[in-house]
Amino acid sequence: MKQVFHQILSSLMALLVLASTVSWTVDKHICMGRVMDISLFAHADDCGMDMDMDKEKSCCDDESFTVQGQDDLKISFENFSLDQQVFLVSFVHTYFLLFEIGSDEPTPFSEYNPPPLIRDVQVLDQTFLI
């Protein structure tokens, strides 16, 4: 279950990076105030009404807008302020202390042998702790 969730999450993050780096162009053809065609990445088809008319008297209009994607995805580690450096060092230090293996402290009862069981008193007296 954990591996499936991890794979889904990593796939969604990869799609998010892909969507943020690609430039999107949306082109619309509007004729008499109504949207006739919308196209992504290409020119929208016209409705054919403005073929005989002048461009000045045309009832149709083409609109397009572009959403620019990111070009630079490299993280620069040269421009850290002092506050960011202190945070990074303290975060890494506390993160590594989470996984510190405990020291081998001697246990005082490791050499202790339990007393021999001569008879099982709980079974004989029929007293059980529930």
Side-chain angles (χ1 to χ4, degrees):
M1 179 69 180
K2 185 177 179 181
Q3 290 177 343
V4 172
F5 179 71
H6 181 70
Q7 289 175 350
I8 290 171
L9 187 64
S10 61
S11 299
L12 287 175
M13 289 177 66
L15 287 174
L16 179 68
V17 168
L18 179 68
S20 67
T21 56
V22 173
S23 296
W24 301 88
T25 301
V26 178
D27 196 25
K28 294 190 287 186
H29 181 74
I30 300 172
C31 188
M32 291 188 221
R34 298 178 74 188
V35 176
M36 300 306 279
D37 190 27
I38 295 176
S39 177
L40 293 173
F41 305 115
H43 183 69
D45 294 334
D46 59 349
C47 59
M49 290 187 66
D50 61 342
M51 288 191 292
D52 296 335
M53 297 183 172
D54 237 358
K55 287 291 181 182
E56 297 170 0
K57 298 179 184 178
S58 176
C59 63
C60 296
D61 189 22
D62 289 328
E63 291 182 8
S64 66
F65 64 92
T66 303
V67 177
Q68 293 293 330
Q70 293 179 351
D71 291 334
D72 186 23
L73 292 179
K74 289 185 178 181
I75 299 173
S76 174
F77 292 111
E78 299 166 358
N79 305 3
F80 278 156
S81 67
L82 182 63
D83 294 336
Q84 291 172 336
Q85 290 177 3
V86 169
F87 173 76
L88 185 66
V89 169
S90 63
F91 179 76
V92 169
H93 181 70
T94 55
Y95 183 77
F96 284 129
L97 285 179
L98 286 175
F99 303 110
E100 183 176 303
I101 298 172
S103 62
D104 294 333
E105 296 179 9
T107 55
F109 54 85
S110 63
E111 298 296 322
Y112 172 74
N113 291 327
L117 185 63
I118 298 172
R119 56 189 164 152
D120 197 359
V121 177
Q122 284 89 6
V123 175
L124 288 175
D125 295 338
Q126 295 293 315
T127 56
F128 302 103
L129 181 63
I130 297 177

